Every structure is written in C-alpha cells, then in structure tokens.
Amino acid sequence: MIQTVKDSDTRPWFFLQTAHTTYGMRVMETGHLEHLYYGERITVDAQDSASCVPLIIQRAFTPGNTCTYDREHPQISMEDICLEVGTLGKGDIREPFLEVRFADGSVTSDFTFDSYKVITLKEREQCLQDSGLPHSYSETETDSAECLQIVLQDVTNRLELQLFYTVFEECDVITRSARLINHSDATVTLDRCLSAQLDLTEDYSVITHFSGAWAREMHREQISLRSGKFVNASYTGTSSNRSNPFMILGHKNTCETFGSCIGCNLIYSGNHYEALEKDSYGKLRFVSGINPRSFSWELTLEAHFDTPEAVLSYSSKGYGGLSRQLHSFIREHIVRGAWKKSPRPVLLNSWEACYFKIDERKLMQLAKAGADVGIELFVMDDGWFSGRNDDTSSLGDWEPDPKKLPGGIASLSKKIKALGVDFGLWVEPEMISENSRLYQEHPDWAMTIPGHPHSEGRNQRLLDLCNPEVQQYVIDSMTKVFSSGDIRYVKWDMNRIFSDIYSPYLPAVKQGETAHRYVLGLYHIMDELTARFPEILFEGCSAGGNRFDLGILSYFPQIWASDNTDALCRTGIQNSYSYGYPLSVFTAHVSSCPNHQTLRITPLETRFQVASFGVLGYECNLKDLSGSDLNAIREQIALYKKWRDVFQFGTFYRGTENEASDSETLSWTCVSPDGRRAVGLFFRRLAVPNQSHDWYRPVGLLPDVKYHFYGRNIKYNLKDFGDLVNTVSPVHIKQGSALQEILSRFVNMDGEKEDLTAYGDTLMRAGIALKPAFAGTGYNSDTRLFPDFSSRIYFMEAVE
C-alpha cells in the first residue's frame, strides 16, 4: 500500500506500507527528497501531517565546515541530510547516487521534486518496456503490488530523473530503480547511475556479505563498520563468485531469530557495486547498482538510461526472517514460466563421469544405469559438438560431432527417451574459440582490442554481445540446437571472466558502455530463447556460481550453485545461498569420492542428504558403482521424490548453531506450506571425542500439532569399524583381507532408530535428544555412528 500525506500542494510525504514494514520519505522545503524511516510498520494518518513530524530531523544551523545549500535555507547542509538521491556539487560529499559530466566539463547536478503518481505494475512495465532489463513482476492483476513513480528535475541542466518504488506488500519487499532522461540540447555523459540509496540514522553497521572464488563460492563474512567505507563489488563482467550482489545490514545484536536487518539484492548479471559509508555525523549511506568503475554512458537529446532494479527488505525477526521474505519474493516475483512452481526432475549429468570423453555408447550406458535407479533426466555435458575433445577448440561451432554422435542429437535423445528418461544438454553460447570455424569466419565477433595481445580465460574468448548481429547468431544457432531433438533441459554455461574489455562493434566514445551492453545483449538472447522454448528447463551456470543473481533467475528458474560437489564444502555454500535465495533455485549434485575438487571422502548418505536441500542431481559414474551403492541411490531417489515438494518449495529454516563459525554441527529444516510435513538435516563437520549427546531442534513446526518424528533405517558396513571388530569377533579379521571383504557383503550392523511422537512446541523448544553417538566405549544398535562428515535426515509428519 502506498500512502500519501499532504503537507502542502508541493511538498507531499510518501509512505510505502508492506504487511510488516514502512518506508517513509518526504519532499523538503528545498524540494529534495528526504528519507525518513525504514523499519517495522508504523501507523500513518494520511489526514494529519503533524503526526509524522517526529520522523523529521530538526535543524537550526548547519554543522561547522560544511556548505549551506542556498541562501534561502541557511540551516540546510546536504552533507547532513538523509536523502533518497545524492549527487555531486551541492555539498554532499558522500557516495553519490548519480554522477553526470556535462559538455562544459562540470559535474554538479541538483534534482528537486516535480511530480508523482501511483501506477500499477502493468503500467510500470509499459514505462520500462524498452529498458532491456528484467524486472520483478506479478502474475495477477489482483495482487497488492503497486508502484510509486516520483519525478525529479535538474532544472539548470534540463535532466529528468524518474524514481520507481514498487511495493510487494505480502513479501515485505520494496524495489527501487531509476530512469534518467536528457532534455537538454547537448550530450551528457553518465559516469554513475545507481539503483538504490538508503540513508540511515540507525546503526546498521554490521555487514554480512558473501565472498569467494571458483569452487568456494558464497563464503559468509561479517564485519562491523566503525568509520569510513565498505565496498562489495564485482569487476568480472558478471555478478561474480568473488562477491555476490546480495548484502545484509544488521544491528550489532541481530542474530538468526532476533533483531533488525535490511537485505539488498540487485536484479542484474554484470558488474555491480554496493557501498556502505559511515559519515562524520554517524549516519550511514548505502548504495547499490552498476559498478561505476570503467563505466560511462553517452546520453543524447531525449535519450534515457535505465538502472537495474534493486530489491530491499527489512525484518525485525533476524536473518532467518529476512531470508524467508526474500525466498517468497523470488519464488513469486522473479522466477517465472512453466517451471516456476513445477517439481524439478532428478538428473544425472555426464561431466564428472566422462568429462570430454563421450560418445553415444558411453552416454547410453550411463543413461541406462540412471534409469535403473530412478533418474528422470539425463544431461549430456561438454564434449558433444564437432572437434570438442578438450577446452581449446570449437566453441561457436554448434554441430554434433559425427564420430561421437553418429545420429546426432535427434537419435540420442530418442533413444534416451525410450528408457523413460528425459534428455538435456550443455551449451556455452556466449563463447568463441580461436580454433573454430566461427572465429575464422568472424574474428571481429570476438571481444578483443584490435592489434593488441589478448589475455585468455579457459582458452576461449567472449562473443561481442554488444553487436546485434552476434546476438542474432546466438539466437539462431541455439534455436537450431534446441530444435534438433527432444530436449527438455539446457545447462547454459559461461566459463570465464572479462579481460581486455572492448567491443569492435562500438565506436571509441562508447567503449565505457561495453560491459553493460553485453549484459543487455545477453538478456535479449535469453528472453528470445525462453519464449521460443518455454517447455525447456534452463539452468544457469558460470563456472559454477560466477553468475548467481536475480537477473539470471528472471529467465532461468535455477542455477548451478558451485562446481564444488564436496558435501562438506556444500554445507557452507548452500547455507550461505539460503540467506538470500530459496532452495528451489540452486542445484546440488551427488558425486564420486574421493571428491574431484577436494579429494575428500564423505559417506554416500551424507552426499545425498546435503544435496537434497536444493534441486537434487547426480554426477557420478553409475556404471562403476557397486550393487550396494546403486541400491542405496535407488532408495535415495525414491525418498527424495516422496519429499520433493517440501525440499524444493517448503519454508526453509537454518538452525541457530549455523551462525557460529566454530560450530561442528549444522542443521536445516524445510516445512511444507501447511506446516504439517517437515524434513530436517543434522550434520557434523568433525567428530568430537567422548561426546555422545546431540540435539536436533527443528524450526517452523505448528506448536500445537502432534508430529511423528522419525529417521531412516540405517545399516552399517562392517568395514566402517576397521579393526575395532576384532574386539568382538571370534576370529581375527585383517583389514583389506578377503575375509573382511566377504564378511562385509553379508554382515551389516544395525544403526540407531529414532522414532517418537510429540507436539511441535516440544520438538522446537526442547529439541530432540538424539540417540547417543559412538564415543569409543562401546557400540550397539542404539548407538549413533557419527564420525567426521556424518549427517542424519529426519522426517516430521502431523499425526491425524
């Protein structure tokens, strides 16, 4: 709901009301837009502006050594005001929202209030339809979402700034974006145009951000900003695995279940920039948008520039409350299309089983093994197109290799479909290899600086998506591939970052636009292809999580979270993603051990259980597995299918122990929308000697409902006990001996059984005292074998 309070005909107040939050601002006496409040919902009397006066910071004199805005307002210094839009030149020395260079070389701009109107999301879409950027949306006209459009004018320079504030009431989310229009006679140059600015008087100085690199994405870090500035940004050409565009600002006492915090994310897939600055007067300014580094944009007469949409959400219920608000928003207002609410299939990917060494015979054997254990989708990864035997060639030449696939994609997909399994494949359409027919024919289509040596990434170059001709080539070539067989899934990869950023298509004066125009070109391509193939499940990938963002999720309903499939690493990666993204949008695979990224050995059950809290897939060579492992995988897949709706679309909760960096345990809970079914994970990183007792505490259950709580029936292999079996065995069993091998096939040890009934409030508040863990003093069927990297999955069902 958007409330307007009239202070005068020219100076209204605006209050954006969601179910539990309020965002307030007003037009000042100078005409500037002043930020007043963002926090828990407050009551606003639209008929009485005096009731809002407590929100205004009172001013009598400007602080010393600051600039007065103008002679008519001697008490106002722009350095000491909470603004919605900060610019250069009028005394505001903090991080600007906007930087404009004019024809005379000056950079001062000054935007004051002109007008406003409240519009529907359909009307907003009509306003922004030529922006080339994805936006949040609503499927139904009856949705409570609406948009406040405020127009500011820089009268001197004849620039117009339109601000869009969209309110998603039920999700407690407010989004912001902007459009700058040049009404002057001269071209101006944009050096910075951001999406959101928050000036805060409360001490939101605890920053949660997510850093990393390839194979170790989303490392959650917290710092406390005492003074100065913190910057979270990417300059990779992508949203990047180095610093995800999602950030949280919290109070010093904010935790998982308590305290105020504000989350911000960006619906954008390129270079981003977030900064939090504490000024000389204790106020905080947060900004978010396109990274201004190496960015410029030429704005000609009546031309406009649109910023990506920033997503803001406030919670008074800690980081967990914020996460669930954002999960709901992403599911309802970002992800779209046929797969928005459809159960995602359990897939088998060929990559770690075969790498580039694929052919139809191998693929059919692997797919047959997958079908036998319940796999629903088989994916042919890299190596299928002509000449592609390693990563040094052939990108851009999207024709099946006749030696590997004699009948092409059509024949292979038909054979796999006959197994009762859907078919999918891997592509990397944004790339070109020097060793390719496409490069020989169109070297000018590669993003390189003519006459200069080029720094390579993974032996490949970027196609210049600034060029409409290149965009159309990608659309046409992928249309041909996707139409060549019964294809139900596409993994869209992008395996390098930008270097030598230059578009041969653009003139020299526009080279600062290259990185952003690349992203706009990518969005055009994805928009076209998803419209042409609405039934295909597209999965984004960029060397794992190098482009995990809301922009990609606006076209592709899921993203490969990381190339690292190690279960221990994945607990941290997936736990961190959950702060800003729902489980239905990131994929997780069970792979072989020793793990291909870490060489770590983890139990098959642990690998499955961790991967289940996401969109489950397998990436191991099923042809080489033992019968017992195949039987275990068959049971795993059947179990996941039974609980898939809860895993993928339930409400997700992190255990409070997850917050502590030194905690050896981690817990997750997913609860069905009606609260009557839940599934939980309890995971141990490293075993602690002589510690038998653990508690699993589910979250999100209905307190007055009785639940049946139970675990899986577990059997342990004799080998798991090593030579400890000799303490009870009547004959000596040597490790690695034929006797041990024979006995392990026929003798299994019963694991502990968890089975009880209790009310939801008991389970949540007291927790479940689990069966005692093995602590070196004895073992029986009531003992929980829980060594390093072990986990348990638990189920809770309401008792009717």
Side-chain angles (χ1 to χ4, degrees), residues 8 144 213 251 277 385 405 419 441 490 505 619 666 717:
S8 69
S144 59
H251 289 179
E277 181 178 12
F385 45 102
L405 304 177
L419 298 174
E441 295 169 4
V490 168
Y505 170 77
E619 199 149 336
L666 170 144
N717 191 303

Side-chain angles (χ1 to χ4, degrees), residues 503-550:
S503 168
Y505 170 77
L506 296 175
V509 72
K510 287 184 173 289
Q511 287 303 321
E513 303 177 9
T514 300
H516 182 55
R517 286 191 181 275
Y518 180 98
V519 176
L520 294 177
L522 174 65
Y523 288 154
H524 170 64
I525 292 167
M526 294 196 299
D527 190 48
E528 279 287 323
L529 290 172
T530 52
R532 293 185 184 189
F533 300 95
E535 75 285 355
I536 288 180
L537 172 59
F538 285 90
E539 178 172 322
C541 178
S542 182
N546 192 45
R547 199 165 61 187
F548 198 111
D549 59 72
L550 300 183

Side-chain angles (χ1 to χ4, degrees), residues 773-800:
F774 177 80
T777 57
Y779 177 82
N780 60 26
S781 59
D782 284 327
T783 304
R784 180 166 41 98
L785 195 64
F786 216 57
D788 296 348
F789 321 129
S790 292
S791 65
R792 292 290 186 274
I793 197 166
Y794 299 116
F795 304 97
M796 290 144 276
E797 296 182 278
V799 177
E800 301 298 337

Side-chain angles (χ1 to χ4, degrees), residues 133-430:
L133 291 163
H135 288 84
S136 57
Y137 78 107
S138 179
E139 282 188 321
T140 61
E141 288 292 328
T142 57
D143 196 288
S144 59
E146 55 185 348
C147 179
L148 172 66
Q149 181 185 11
I150 297 177
V151 178
L152 306 179
Q153 299 283 354
D154 182 337
V155 178
T156 303
N157 295 302
R158 296 170 62 192
L159 297 179
E160 178 178 315
L161 183 63
Q162 298 178 1
L163 303 177
F164 296 89
Y165 298 81
T166 306
V167 180
F168 293 92
E169 191 170 339
E170 78 286 358
C171 298
D172 287 313
V173 163
I174 293 166
T175 72
R176 284 193 60 177
S177 65
R179 166 174 283 186
L180 183 69
I181 307 171
N182 181 13
H183 295 306
S184 72
D185 296 330
T187 296
V188 301
T189 302
L190 271 178
D191 290 325
R192 170 191 295 227
C193 193
L194 300 182
S195 300
Q197 176 179 312
L198 268 180
D199 285 1
L200 304 165
T201 56
E202 286 192 60
D203 191 17
Y204 286 95
S205 58
V206 177
I207 301 164
T208 303
H209 66 108
F210 301 89
S211 63
W214 175 78
R216 46 184 173 88
E217 293 87 345
M218 294 298 284
H219 177 69
R220 180 172 61 94
E221 298 187 70
Q222 281 193 329
I223 69 163
S224 183
L225 185 69
R226 296 179 180 273
S227 62
K229 185 187 303 182
F230 172 83
V231 172
N232 178 73
S234 77
Y235 191 64
T236 60
T238 61
S239 49
S240 99
N241 48 32
R242 279 73 161 177
S243 54
N244 194 270
F246 174 59
M247 278 180 62
I248 307 173
L249 311 179
H251 289 179
K252 64 181 180 180
N253 62 344
T254 301
C255 62
E256 182 67 21
T257 58
F258 171 83
S260 293
C261 53
I262 297 170
C264 181
N265 208 335
L266 199 62
I267 306 178
Y268 190 61
S269 305
N271 295 332
H272 61 88
Y273 180 84
E274 294 78 41
L276 182 69
E277 181 178 12
K278 181 171 279 191
D279 67 22
S280 303
Y281 306 100
K283 298 182 181 68
L284 290 170
R285 170 167 290 180
F286 174 78
V287 294
S288 174
I290 295 172
N291 194 338
R293 180 179 174 186
S294 301
F295 168 86
S296 65
W297 195 273
E298 298 295 306
L299 209 57
T300 56
L301 174 62
E302 297 305 325
H304 63 262
F305 180 82
D306 294 282
T307 72
E309 190 174 11
V311 177
L312 301 170
S313 188
Y314 165 87
S315 172
S316 63
K317 296 181 179 177
Y319 301 121
L322 176 69
S323 296
R324 287 182 285 281
Q325 290 168 193
L326 292 170
H327 293 180
S328 175
F329 171 77
I330 291 169
R331 285 174 173 163
E332 292 298 324
H333 302 293
I334 295 294
V335 176
R336 60 203 78 196
W339 288 95
K340 175 177 179 173
K341 296 182 179 179
S342 298
R344 312 290 166 74
V346 180
L347 65 79
L348 173 62
N349 185 289
S350 69
W351 180 242
E352 287 194 11
C354 304
Y355 289 94
F356 290 102
K357 297 178 180 179
I358 63 172
D359 56 45
E360 185 171 300
R361 181 184 61 83
K362 282 184 180 178
L363 294 173
M364 285 303 301
Q365 288 175 345
L366 192 59
K368 175 63 167 59
D372 289 344
V373 296
I375 290 292
E376 299 166 309
L377 168 69
F378 178 77
V379 180
M380 176 176 64
D381 210 283
D382 198 356
W384 59 268
F385 45 102
S386 187
R388 183 69 166 177
N389 298 311
D390 54 37
D391 64 6
T392 63
S393 73
S394 305
L395 286 170
D397 300 341
W398 298 106
E399 297 288 340
D401 190 322
K403 295 179 181 178
K404 297 180 179 182
L405 304 177
I409 291 173
S411 174
L412 178 63
S413 64
K414 184 177 180 181
K415 291 177 180 178
I416 287 175
K417 188 68 175 179
L419 298 174
V421 177
D422 286 333
F423 175 75
L425 81 169
W426 173 98
V427 292
E428 194 171 4
E430 301 164 61

Side-chain angles (χ1 to χ4, degrees), residues 561-797:
S562 175
D563 283 346
N564 186 347
T565 56
D566 176 85
L568 175 64
C569 296
R570 272 305 190 110
T571 58
I573 291 170
Q574 292 171 211
N575 192 71
S576 291
Y577 273 122
S578 76
Y579 277 81
Y581 304 94
L583 272 58
S584 58
V585 305
F586 57 78
T587 51
H589 291 178
V590 177
S591 63
S592 300
C593 276
N595 178 265
H596 288 203
Q597 292 77 48
T598 64
L599 296 180
R600 183 180 285 117
I601 298 174
T602 54
L604 177 60
E605 278 301 307
T606 296
R607 285 175 266 157
F608 159 68
Q609 290 170 13
V610 172
S612 292
F613 283 79
V615 178
L616 176 68
Y618 286 78
E619 199 149 336
C620 40
N621 191 346
L622 299 182
K623 305 194 310 300
D624 290 349
L625 295 186
S626 66
S628 60
D629 280 349
L630 289 172
N631 286 333
I633 289 174
R634 187 176 293 108
E635 292 177 5
Q636 291 169 359
I637 293 173
L639 180 69
Y640 183 80
K641 290 176 181 177
K642 179 181 177 182
W643 288 87
R644 172 163 40 193
D645 60 327
V646 181
F647 280 121
Q648 293 185 3
F649 299 106
T651 304
F652 178 76
Y653 298 86
R654 292 178 295 271
T656 55
E657 70 269 37
N658 302 13
E659 292 184 276
S661 59
D662 60 348
S663 174
E664 291 298 343
T665 61
L666 170 144
S667 70
W668 295 329
T669 309
C670 273
V671 184
S672 64
D674 65 2
R676 301 186 69 80
R677 299 171 71 226
V679 57
L681 176 81
F682 186 72
F683 175 88
R684 181 175 297 285
R685 296 182 175 92
L686 295 178
V688 179
N690 196 26
Q691 181 172 308
S692 299
H693 304 299
D694 287 301
W695 284 259
Y696 165 66
R697 291 179 171 84
V699 193
L701 304 181
L702 301 174
D704 56 351
V705 169
K706 187 177 288 187
Y707 291 87
H708 177 207
F709 174 91
Y710 60 96
R712 297 187 69 190
N713 292 330
I714 300 169
K715 296 280 188 179
Y716 294 122
N717 191 303
L718 200 66
K719 292 180 181 179
D720 293 338
F721 294 87
D723 63 5
L724 270 175
V725 297
N726 289 313
T727 63
V728 294
S729 174
V731 296
H732 185 78
I733 302 173
K734 181 181 177 181
Q735 289 193 80
S737 66
L739 177 61
Q740 185 193 43
E741 183 65 33
I742 293 169
L743 288 173
S744 68
R745 296 179 185 178
F746 299 100
V747 179
N748 287 311
M749 308 289 286
D750 287 325
E752 85 282 4
K753 291 181 174 62
E754 302 283 3
D755 195 314
L756 55 88
T757 301
Y759 281 95
D761 56 2
T762 302
L763 298 175
M764 291 188 293
R765 295 168 190 171
I768 301 100
L770 302 175
K771 293 290 176 68
F774 177 80
T777 57
Y779 177 82
N780 60 26
S781 59
D782 284 327
T783 304
R784 180 166 41 98
L785 195 64
F786 216 57
D788 296 348
F789 321 129
S790 292
S791 65
R792 292 290 186 274
I793 197 166
Y794 299 116
F795 304 97
M796 290 144 276
E797 296 182 278

